[in-house]
Amino acid sequence: GTTLGTLTVLVGETYPVTLRRDISAAAAGLAVTARSADPVITAVGAQATFQVNEAESILGVLGISPGTPTVTVYCGAEVVTTFDVVVAPATLTVTPVTVVVGDTTLMTVIRAGGDQTVSLTVALGVDYAGVITLPATVTIPAGESSVPVTVTGVRLLRNQVTVRATADGYAT
């Protein structure tokens, strides 16, 4: 067998892995199976099928929880290839903005990974109270990866204000 290297996927995301075979061996169909060393961390498609005269097939790898398991691909009992999967936590980030006292501007809360088919309620907080106003929570809609947030400058501060975005299951 061969080793494909390392694949990085976020929790909640499925990554397509392209498997290739020698085209000279493509005269017949071929099915391969895959197993994760830790199915609590990574789920893989149970089987990938090469059709007749096809040299490529796709295997889906789903990140379930943070960790680094190895995935092994078999043809019958023979190991065809292995690869490591780094499953990184889903993350929340906030775009930096500058706001002047009395003015408003938009910043963006962005989610990467996680189940994006459902909405996500995000709590917002600041390290210096009373310097800016913003909502205590925002909701990123289902199917979206971000939401704009209105920020208003309230009082002057020489230091930078840090906005924190938090939600269950997400690193910041």
Side-chain angles (χ1 to χ4, degrees), residues 17-52:
V17 175
T18 302
L19 301 174
R20 292 185 176 84
R21 67 174 173 168
D22 186 337
I23 194 68
S24 65
L30 176 68
V32 296
T33 57
R35 277 197 309 262
S36 171
D38 192 340
V40 172
I41 295 174
T42 305
V44 293
Q47 187 171 339
T49 303
F50 291 90
Q51 301 298 325
V52 174

CSV table of all heavy atoms in Angstrom, one decimal, residues 17-52:
chain,number,residue,atom,x,y,z
A,17,VAL,N,-12.0,12.8,-0.7
A,17,VAL,CA,-10.7,12.3,-1.0
A,17,VAL,C,-10.8,11.5,-2.4
A,17,VAL,O,-11.6,10.6,-2.5
A,17,VAL,CB,-10.2,11.3,0.1
A,17,VAL,CG1,-8.9,10.7,-0.3
A,17,VAL,CG2,-10.1,12.1,1.4
A,18,THR,N,-9.9,11.9,-3.3
A,18,THR,CA,-9.9,11.3,-4.6
A,18,THR,C,-8.9,10.1,-4.5
A,18,THR,O,-7.7,10.3,-4.3
A,18,THR,CB,-9.5,12.3,-5.7
A,18,THR,OG1,-10.4,13.4,-5.7
A,18,THR,CG2,-9.4,11.6,-7.1
A,19,LEU,N,-9.4,8.9,-4.8
A,19,LEU,CA,-8.6,7.7,-4.9
A,19,LEU,C,-8.3,7.5,-6.4
A,19,LEU,O,-9.2,7.6,-7.2
A,19,LEU,CB,-9.3,6.5,-4.3
A,19,LEU,CG,-9.7,6.7,-2.8
A,19,LEU,CD1,-10.6,5.5,-2.4
A,19,LEU,CD2,-8.5,6.8,-2.0
A,20,ARG,N,-7.1,7.1,-6.7
A,20,ARG,CA,-6.8,6.8,-8.1
A,20,ARG,C,-6.2,5.4,-8.3
A,20,ARG,O,-5.5,4.9,-7.4
A,20,ARG,CB,-5.7,7.9,-8.6
A,20,ARG,CG,-6.3,9.3,-8.7
A,20,ARG,CD,-5.2,10.3,-9.2
A,20,ARG,NE,-5.8,11.6,-9.4
A,20,ARG,CZ,-5.9,12.5,-8.4
A,20,ARG,NH1,-5.5,12.2,-7.2
A,20,ARG,NH2,-6.5,13.6,-8.7
A,21,ARG,N,-6.5,4.9,-9.5
A,21,ARG,CA,-5.9,3.6,-9.8
A,21,ARG,C,-5.3,3.7,-11.2
A,21,ARG,O,-5.6,4.5,-12.0
A,21,ARG,CB,-6.9,2.4,-9.7
A,21,ARG,CG,-8.0,2.5,-10.8
A,21,ARG,CD,-8.8,1.3,-10.8
A,21,ARG,NE,-10.0,1.5,-11.7
A,21,ARG,CZ,-10.8,0.5,-12.0
A,21,ARG,NH1,-10.6,-0.7,-11.5
A,21,ARG,NH2,-11.8,0.7,-12.9
A,22,ASP,N,-4.4,2.8,-11.5
A,22,ASP,CA,-3.7,2.7,-12.8
A,22,ASP,C,-4.8,2.5,-13.9
A,22,ASP,O,-5.6,1.6,-13.7
A,22,ASP,CB,-2.7,1.6,-12.8
A,22,ASP,CG,-1.8,1.6,-14.0
A,22,ASP,OD1,-2.3,2.1,-15.1
A,22,ASP,OD2,-0.7,1.0,-14.0
A,23,ILE,N,-4.8,3.3,-14.9
A,23,ILE,CA,-5.8,3.2,-15.9
A,23,ILE,C,-5.7,1.9,-16.7
A,23,ILE,O,-6.7,1.3,-17.1
A,23,ILE,CB,-5.7,4.4,-16.9
A,23,ILE,CG1,-7.0,4.5,-17.8
A,23,ILE,CG2,-4.5,4.3,-17.7
A,23,ILE,CD1,-8.3,4.8,-17.1
A,24,SER,N,-4.5,1.3,-16.7
A,24,SER,CA,-4.4,0.0,-17.3
A,24,SER,C,-5.2,-1.1,-16.6
A,24,SER,O,-5.5,-2.2,-17.1
A,24,SER,CB,-2.9,-0.4,-17.5
A,24,SER,OG,-2.3,-0.6,-16.2
A,25,ALA,N,-5.5,-0.9,-15.3
A,25,ALA,CA,-6.2,-1.8,-14.5
A,25,ALA,C,-7.7,-1.5,-14.5
A,25,ALA,O,-8.5,-2.1,-13.7
A,25,ALA,CB,-5.7,-1.9,-13.1
A,26,ALA,N,-8.1,-0.5,-15.3
A,26,ALA,CA,-9.5,0.0,-15.2
A,26,ALA,C,-10.5,-0.8,-16.2
A,26,ALA,O,-11.6,-0.4,-16.3
A,26,ALA,CB,-9.5,1.4,-15.6
A,27,ALA,N,-10.1,-1.9,-16.7
A,27,ALA,CA,-10.9,-2.7,-17.6
A,27,ALA,C,-12.1,-3.3,-16.8
A,27,ALA,O,-13.1,-3.7,-17.4
A,27,ALA,CB,-10.2,-3.7,-18.3
A,28,ALA,N,-12.0,-3.4,-15.5
A,28,ALA,CA,-13.0,-4.0,-14.7
A,28,ALA,C,-13.4,-3.0,-13.6
A,28,ALA,O,-12.6,-2.2,-13.2
A,28,ALA,CB,-12.5,-5.3,-14.1
A,29,GLY,N,-14.6,-3.1,-13.1
A,29,GLY,CA,-15.0,-2.3,-11.9
A,29,GLY,C,-14.2,-2.8,-10.7
A,29,GLY,O,-13.7,-3.9,-10.6
A,30,LEU,N,-14.2,-1.9,-9.7
A,30,LEU,CA,-13.5,-2.3,-8.5
A,30,LEU,C,-14.1,-1.5,-7.3
A,30,LEU,O,-14.4,-0.3,-7.4
A,30,LEU,CB,-12.0,-1.9,-8.6
A,30,LEU,CG,-11.1,-2.1,-7.4
A,30,LEU,CD1,-10.9,-3.5,-7.1
A,30,LEU,CD2,-9.8,-1.4,-7.6
A,31,ALA,N,-14.3,-2.2,-6.2
A,31,ALA,CA,-14.8,-1.6,-5.0
A,31,ALA,C,-13.8,-1.7,-3.9
A,31,ALA,O,-13.1,-2.7,-3.7
A,31,ALA,CB,-16.1,-2.2,-4.5
A,32,VAL,N,-13.5,-0.6,-3.2
A,32,VAL,CA,-12.6,-0.6,-2.1
A,32,VAL,C,-13.4,-0.1,-0.8
A,32,VAL,O,-14.4,0.6,-0.9
A,32,VAL,CB,-11.4,0.4,-2.3
A,32,VAL,CG1,-10.6,-0.1,-3.5
A,32,VAL,CG2,-11.8,1.8,-2.6
A,33,THR,N,-13.0,-0.6,0.3
A,33,THR,CA,-13.6,-0.2,1.6
A,33,THR,C,-12.6,0.6,2.4
A,33,THR,O,-11.4,0.6,2.2
A,33,THR,CB,-14.0,-1.4,2.4
A,33,THR,OG1,-12.9,-2.2,2.6
A,33,THR,CG2,-15.1,-2.2,1.6
A,34,ALA,N,-13.2,1.4,3.3
A,34,ALA,CA,-12.3,2.3,4.1
A,34,ALA,C,-12.8,2.2,5.6
A,34,ALA,O,-14.0,2.0,5.8
A,34,ALA,CB,-12.4,3.7,3.6
A,35,ARG,N,-11.8,2.3,6.5
A,35,ARG,CA,-12.1,2.3,7.9
A,35,ARG,C,-11.3,3.3,8.6
A,35,ARG,O,-10.1,3.5,8.3
A,35,ARG,CB,-11.8,0.9,8.5
A,35,ARG,CG,-13.0,-0.1,8.3
A,35,ARG,CD,-12.8,-1.2,9.3
A,35,ARG,NE,-11.5,-1.9,9.3
A,35,ARG,CZ,-11.3,-3.0,8.6
A,35,ARG,NH1,-12.2,-3.6,7.9
A,35,ARG,NH2,-10.1,-3.5,8.7
A,36,SER,N,-11.9,4.0,9.6
A,36,SER,CA,-11.2,5.0,10.4
A,36,SER,C,-10.7,4.2,11.6
A,36,SER,O,-11.4,3.4,12.2
A,36,SER,CB,-12.1,6.1,10.8
A,36,SER,OG,-11.4,6.9,11.8
A,37,ALA,N,-9.5,4.5,12.1
A,37,ALA,CA,-8.9,4.0,13.3
A,37,ALA,C,-9.7,4.4,14.5
A,37,ALA,O,-9.7,3.7,15.6
A,37,ALA,CB,-7.5,4.3,13.5
A,38,ASP,N,-10.4,5.5,14.4
A,38,ASP,CA,-11.3,6.0,15.5
A,38,ASP,C,-12.6,6.6,15.0
A,38,ASP,O,-12.6,7.8,14.6
A,38,ASP,CB,-10.5,7.0,16.4
A,38,ASP,CG,-11.3,7.3,17.7
A,38,ASP,OD1,-12.5,7.1,17.8
A,38,ASP,OD2,-10.6,7.8,18.6
A,39,PRO,N,-13.6,5.8,14.8
A,39,PRO,CA,-14.9,6.3,14.2
A,39,PRO,C,-15.6,7.3,15.1
A,39,PRO,O,-16.5,7.9,14.6
A,39,PRO,CB,-15.7,5.0,14.0
A,39,PRO,CG,-15.1,4.0,14.9
A,39,PRO,CD,-13.7,4.4,15.1
A,40,VAL,N,-15.1,7.6,16.3
A,40,VAL,CA,-15.7,8.6,17.1
A,40,VAL,C,-15.2,10.0,16.6
A,40,VAL,O,-15.9,11.0,16.8
A,40,VAL,CB,-15.4,8.4,18.6
A,40,VAL,CG1,-15.8,9.6,19.4
A,40,VAL,CG2,-16.1,7.1,19.1
A,41,ILE,N,-14.0,10.0,16.0
A,41,ILE,CA,-13.4,11.2,15.5
A,41,ILE,C,-13.7,11.5,14.0
A,41,ILE,O,-14.0,12.6,13.6
A,41,ILE,CB,-11.9,11.2,15.8
A,41,ILE,CG1,-11.6,11.2,17.3
A,41,ILE,CG2,-11.2,12.4,15.1
A,41,ILE,CD1,-10.2,11.0,17.6
A,42,THR,N,-13.6,10.4,13.2
A,42,THR,CA,-13.8,10.5,11.8
A,42,THR,C,-14.7,9.4,11.2
A,42,THR,O,-14.5,8.3,11.6
A,42,THR,CB,-12.4,10.4,11.1
A,42,THR,OG1,-11.5,11.4,11.6
A,42,THR,CG2,-12.5,10.7,9.6
A,43,ALA,N,-15.6,9.8,10.4
A,43,ALA,CA,-16.4,8.8,9.7
A,43,ALA,C,-16.0,8.9,8.2
A,43,ALA,O,-15.7,9.9,7.7
A,43,ALA,CB,-17.9,9.1,9.8
A,44,VAL,N,-15.8,7.7,7.6
A,44,VAL,CA,-15.5,7.6,6.2
A,44,VAL,C,-16.6,6.9,5.5
A,44,VAL,O,-17.3,6.0,6.0
A,44,VAL,CB,-14.1,7.0,5.9
A,44,VAL,CG1,-13.0,7.8,6.5
A,44,VAL,CG2,-14.1,5.6,6.5
A,45,GLY,N,-16.8,7.2,4.2
A,45,GLY,CA,-17.7,6.4,3.4
A,45,GLY,C,-17.3,5.0,3.4
A,45,GLY,O,-16.1,4.7,3.3
A,46,ALA,N,-18.2,4.1,3.6
A,46,ALA,CA,-17.8,2.7,3.8
A,46,ALA,C,-17.2,2.1,2.5
A,46,ALA,O,-16.4,1.2,2.6
A,46,ALA,CB,-19.1,1.9,4.1
A,47,GLN,N,-17.5,2.6,1.4
A,47,GLN,CA,-17.1,2.0,0.1
A,47,GLN,C,-16.9,3.1,-1.0
A,47,GLN,O,-17.7,4.0,-1.0
A,47,GLN,CB,-18.0,1.0,-0.4
A,47,GLN,CG,-17.6,0.2,-1.5
A,47,GLN,CD,-18.5,-1.0,-1.8
A,47,GLN,OE1,-19.2,-1.5,-1.0
A,47,GLN,NE2,-18.4,-1.5,-3.0
A,48,ALA,N,-15.9,2.9,-1.8
A,48,ALA,CA,-15.8,3.8,-3.0
A,48,ALA,C,-15.7,2.8,-4.2
A,48,ALA,O,-15.0,1.7,-4.1
A,48,ALA,CB,-14.5,4.6,-2.9
A,49,THR,N,-16.4,3.1,-5.3
A,49,THR,CA,-16.4,2.2,-6.4
A,49,THR,C,-15.8,2.9,-7.6
A,49,THR,O,-16.1,4.0,-8.0
A,49,THR,CB,-17.9,1.8,-6.7
A,49,THR,OG1,-18.5,1.2,-5.5
A,49,THR,CG2,-18.0,0.9,-7.9
A,50,PHE,N,-14.9,2.1,-8.2
A,50,PHE,CA,-14.3,2.5,-9.5
A,50,PHE,C,-15.2,1.9,-10.6
A,50,PHE,O,-15.3,0.6,-10.6
A,50,PHE,CB,-12.9,2.1,-9.7
A,50,PHE,CG,-11.9,2.7,-8.7
A,50,PHE,CD1,-11.6,2.2,-7.5
A,50,PHE,CD2,-11.2,3.9,-9.1
A,50,PHE,CE1,-10.7,2.8,-6.6
A,50,PHE,CE2,-10.3,4.5,-8.3
A,50,PHE,CZ,-10.1,4.0,-7.0
A,51,GLN,N,-15.8,2.6,-11.5
A,51,GLN,CA,-16.5,2.0,-12.6
A,51,GLN,C,-15.5,1.5,-13.6
A,51,GLN,O,-14.4,1.9,-13.7
A,51,GLN,CB,-17.5,3.1,-13.2
A,51,GLN,CG,-18.5,3.7,-12.2
A,51,GLN,CD,-19.4,2.6,-11.6
A,51,GLN,OE1,-19.8,1.7,-12.3
A,51,GLN,NE2,-19.8,2.8,-10.4
A,52,VAL,N,-16.0,0.7,-14.6
A,52,VAL,CA,-15.2,0.2,-15.7
A,52,VAL,C,-14.7,1.4,-16.4
A,52,VAL,O,-15.4,2.4,-16.7
A,52,VAL,CB,-16.1,-0.7,-16.6
A,52,VAL,CG1,-15.3,-1.1,-17.8
A,52,VAL,CG2,-16.5,-1.9,-15.8
